[in-house]
Amino acid sequence: MITTAALSQTQRDAARELLDAVTAHDGVAPLDEAARLALTGDSAQHLLLPAGPEHSTDPGADPAAAETLLGYASLLPDGTVQGMVHPGHRRRGHGTALLRAALELRPDAGVWAHGALDGSLAFLTAAGMHETRRLLTLRRELAAGDPVRDVAVPTLEDFRLDSFDLERDADRWVEVNALAFADHPEQGSLGRADLDRRLAEPWFDAGDLLVALQHEELVGFVWIKRDAAEGPEADAEIYVVATAPSVQGHGVAGYLLAAALRRLQAAGVPGVELYVEADNTAALRLYEAWGFTVSGRDVQMRAAAKA
């Protein structure tokens, strides 16, 4: 097994090839966006199981030698682990080896089972782990004959919507995001470098990042994610919705959501999905009122604390 904080280009290509194979087989991606972005960074710990027997168990193997991977896992700075094993090489101990190595690095790690697949949950449960968090995927149809309902403009002085402007909004976006998600282990920890990395992604469109301004200062935002590479028939994603504490309770979040849904509907997008914590009852009520229903789930599991 190879453990490294920085992947070579060969290793990144191998990890992406493995990711594509696993996603096609399982119908769900085993790595979320943060883990995919970490492939090109230097903040995560990467665990690799190369296909070559001369490298598969040698901790001193040349990190550039892995051209094909049997398995891969990452330990992100937030203490979460995500991993995958090639469909043709499962039930041979590779998953157990990756999990054991990750927990040696971080015993209290939260291990994601994306899609909550039966096999993944059974594997982690057998390894002595238990569910500590559940993330729901919600989806809403955007049929042309079902217009998005009107929402009253928030009664805030000098309030308006606009598209994201890097110079005006970037630092304030980070501030509002941190305030809105102060209790969220991943979203609330995003800094300016994390934002800049996402702004540099091929799918980013400033017009799809709508901001609510009061006195020309950002007080809320809704971010739409549309990937042209997935084709015109693909669903869009409500990437994130947030409002500053100073305007919460004034209908800003609902107004932003309505604006995003109208934008997507006008563009002919067939449907939209978003992610929400299963215990966030307030957000669930908001999204259910807008016609969203549960379409999937991800489960995070942890090892029981030792006495």
Short mmCIF file of all heavy atoms in Angstrom, two decimals, residues 25 43 47 62 64 76 104 107 109 114 144 163 196 198 211 245 251-252 259 264 288 292 295:
data_model
loop_
_atom_site.label_atom_id
_atom_site.label_comp_id
_atom_site.label_asym_id
_atom_site.label_seq_id
_atom_site.Cartn_x
_atom_site.Cartn_y
_atom_site.Cartn_z
N HIS A 25 -20.28 0.92 -12.27
CA HIS A 25 -20.74 -0.37 -11.76
C HIS A 25 -21.79 -0.22 -10.66
O HIS A 25 -22.82 -0.92 -10.66
CB HIS A 25 -19.55 -1.16 -11.22
CG HIS A 25 -19.91 -2.52 -10.69
ND1 HIS A 25 -20.31 -2.73 -9.37
CD2 HIS A 25 -19.94 -3.74 -11.29
CE1 HIS A 25 -20.56 -4.01 -9.19
NE2 HIS A 25 -20.34 -4.65 -10.33
N SER A 43 -3.67 18.56 0.75
CA SER A 43 -4.16 18.61 2.12
C SER A 43 -4.66 17.27 2.62
O SER A 43 -4.83 17.09 3.83
CB SER A 43 -5.30 19.64 2.23
OG SER A 43 -6.37 19.29 1.35
N LEU A 47 -4.46 6.90 0.16
CA LEU A 47 -4.07 5.50 0.34
C LEU A 47 -4.36 4.77 -0.96
O LEU A 47 -5.49 4.77 -1.45
CB LEU A 47 -4.87 4.86 1.48
CG LEU A 47 -4.86 5.63 2.81
CD1 LEU A 47 -5.82 5.00 3.80
CD2 LEU A 47 -3.47 5.68 3.39
N ASP A 62 7.76 3.13 -5.05
CA ASP A 62 7.80 4.41 -5.75
C ASP A 62 6.38 4.90 -5.97
O ASP A 62 5.58 4.24 -6.64
CB ASP A 62 8.49 4.21 -7.10
CG ASP A 62 8.53 5.49 -7.92
OD1 ASP A 62 8.06 6.54 -7.42
OD2 ASP A 62 9.01 5.44 -9.06
N ALA A 64 5.15 6.90 -7.94
CA ALA A 64 4.81 7.12 -9.35
C ALA A 64 4.55 5.81 -10.08
O ALA A 64 4.21 5.81 -11.26
CB ALA A 64 5.93 7.87 -10.04
N LEU A 76 -9.55 13.15 4.44
CA LEU A 76 -9.59 14.59 4.25
C LEU A 76 -9.27 15.32 5.56
O LEU A 76 -9.36 14.73 6.64
CB LEU A 76 -10.96 15.01 3.73
CG LEU A 76 -11.40 14.40 2.39
CD1 LEU A 76 -12.75 14.96 1.98
CD2 LEU A 76 -10.36 14.65 1.31
N GLU A 104 -5.91 3.77 11.19
CA GLU A 104 -4.64 3.92 11.89
C GLU A 104 -4.17 5.37 11.84
O GLU A 104 -3.57 5.88 12.79
CB GLU A 104 -3.59 3.00 11.27
CG GLU A 104 -3.79 1.53 11.63
CD GLU A 104 -2.79 0.62 10.94
OE1 GLU A 104 -1.98 1.14 10.12
OE2 GLU A 104 -2.79 -0.60 11.21
N PRO A 107 -8.15 7.36 14.00
CA PRO A 107 -9.06 6.38 14.61
C PRO A 107 -10.51 6.86 14.72
O PRO A 107 -11.42 6.03 14.73
CB PRO A 107 -8.44 6.15 16.00
CG PRO A 107 -6.99 6.49 15.83
CD PRO A 107 -6.97 7.64 14.85
N ALA A 109 -12.12 8.71 12.57
CA ALA A 109 -12.58 9.16 11.25
C ALA A 109 -14.04 8.79 11.02
O ALA A 109 -14.53 7.75 11.47
CB ALA A 109 -11.72 8.53 10.15
N HIS A 114 -21.37 6.33 0.40
CA HIS A 114 -22.21 7.11 -0.51
C HIS A 114 -23.23 6.21 -1.20
O HIS A 114 -22.91 5.12 -1.68
CB HIS A 114 -21.34 7.82 -1.54
CG HIS A 114 -20.48 8.91 -0.94
ND1 HIS A 114 -21.02 10.00 -0.32
CD2 HIS A 114 -19.14 9.05 -0.85
CE1 HIS A 114 -20.05 10.79 0.12
NE2 HIS A 114 -18.90 10.23 -0.18
N ALA A 144 -42.25 22.00 -17.50
CA ALA A 144 -42.55 23.33 -18.04
C ALA A 144 -43.97 23.77 -17.69
O ALA A 144 -44.25 24.97 -17.57
CB ALA A 144 -42.36 23.32 -19.56
N SER A 163 -26.02 38.75 -9.80
CA SER A 163 -25.10 37.65 -10.01
C SER A 163 -23.81 37.90 -9.22
O SER A 163 -23.46 39.05 -8.94
CB SER A 163 -24.77 37.51 -11.51
OG SER A 163 -25.91 37.15 -12.24
N ASP A 196 -12.15 29.69 -4.20
CA ASP A 196 -11.45 29.94 -5.46
C ASP A 196 -11.30 28.66 -6.28
O ASP A 196 -11.39 28.68 -7.51
CB ASP A 196 -10.07 30.55 -5.19
CG ASP A 196 -10.16 31.98 -4.68
OD1 ASP A 196 -11.21 32.61 -4.86
OD2 ASP A 196 -9.16 32.46 -4.10
N ARG A 198 -13.35 26.16 -6.37
CA ARG A 198 -14.65 25.86 -6.97
C ARG A 198 -14.98 26.85 -8.09
O ARG A 198 -15.59 26.46 -9.10
CB ARG A 198 -15.73 25.85 -5.89
CG ARG A 198 -15.65 24.59 -5.02
CD ARG A 198 -16.29 24.75 -3.66
NE ARG A 198 -16.26 23.49 -2.91
CZ ARG A 198 -15.19 23.01 -2.30
NH1 ARG A 198 -14.04 23.68 -2.32
NH2 ARG A 198 -15.24 21.86 -1.65
N VAL A 211 -26.76 36.18 -5.72
CA VAL A 211 -26.50 36.72 -4.39
C VAL A 211 -27.58 37.72 -4.02
O VAL A 211 -28.10 38.46 -4.86
CB VAL A 211 -25.11 37.39 -4.32
CG1 VAL A 211 -24.01 36.38 -4.57
CG2 VAL A 211 -24.99 38.55 -5.31
N PRO A 245 -27.17 35.51 9.40
CA PRO A 245 -28.08 35.54 10.55
C PRO A 245 -28.89 36.83 10.64
O PRO A 245 -30.04 36.80 11.10
CB PRO A 245 -27.13 35.40 11.74
CG PRO A 245 -25.95 34.64 11.20
CD PRO A 245 -25.79 35.15 9.78
N GLY A 251 -37.53 35.68 4.84
CA GLY A 251 -37.91 35.09 3.57
C GLY A 251 -36.86 35.16 2.48
O GLY A 251 -37.16 34.91 1.31
N VAL A 252 -35.62 35.44 2.86
CA VAL A 252 -34.56 35.58 1.85
C VAL A 252 -34.24 34.22 1.22
O VAL A 252 -34.07 34.12 0.00
CB VAL A 252 -33.30 36.21 2.47
CG1 VAL A 252 -32.16 36.25 1.46
CG2 VAL A 252 -33.60 37.62 2.97
N ALA A 259 -35.91 32.01 -7.19
CA ALA A 259 -35.19 32.60 -8.32
C ALA A 259 -34.34 31.55 -9.02
O ALA A 259 -34.27 31.52 -10.26
CB ALA A 259 -34.31 33.76 -7.82
N LEU A 264 -33.60 27.77 -13.73
CA LEU A 264 -33.41 26.43 -14.27
C LEU A 264 -34.58 26.01 -15.15
O LEU A 264 -34.40 25.40 -16.21
CB LEU A 264 -33.23 25.43 -13.12
CG LEU A 264 -31.93 25.57 -12.33
CD1 LEU A 264 -31.96 24.65 -11.10
CD2 LEU A 264 -30.71 25.26 -13.19
N GLU A 288 -39.40 20.54 1.27
CA GLU A 288 -40.61 19.77 1.02
C GLU A 288 -41.75 20.68 0.58
O GLU A 288 -42.56 20.30 -0.27
CB GLU A 288 -40.98 18.98 2.27
CG GLU A 288 -40.04 17.80 2.55
CD GLU A 288 -40.26 17.17 3.91
OE1 GLU A 288 -41.09 17.70 4.69
OE2 GLU A 288 -39.60 16.16 4.20
N PHE A 292 -39.81 19.15 -3.15
CA PHE A 292 -38.69 18.21 -3.17
C PHE A 292 -39.05 16.94 -2.39
O PHE A 292 -39.71 17.01 -1.35
CB PHE A 292 -37.44 18.84 -2.54
CG PHE A 292 -36.75 19.84 -3.41
CD1 PHE A 292 -37.14 21.18 -3.41
CD2 PHE A 292 -35.70 19.46 -4.24
CE1 PHE A 292 -36.49 22.12 -4.21
CE2 PHE A 292 -35.04 20.37 -5.03
CZ PHE A 292 -35.44 21.71 -5.03
N SER A 295 -34.67 11.26 -2.67
CA SER A 295 -34.33 10.38 -3.78
C SER A 295 -33.07 9.55 -3.51
O SER A 295 -32.72 8.69 -4.31
CB SER A 295 -34.12 11.20 -5.06
OG SER A 295 -33.07 12.13 -4.91
#
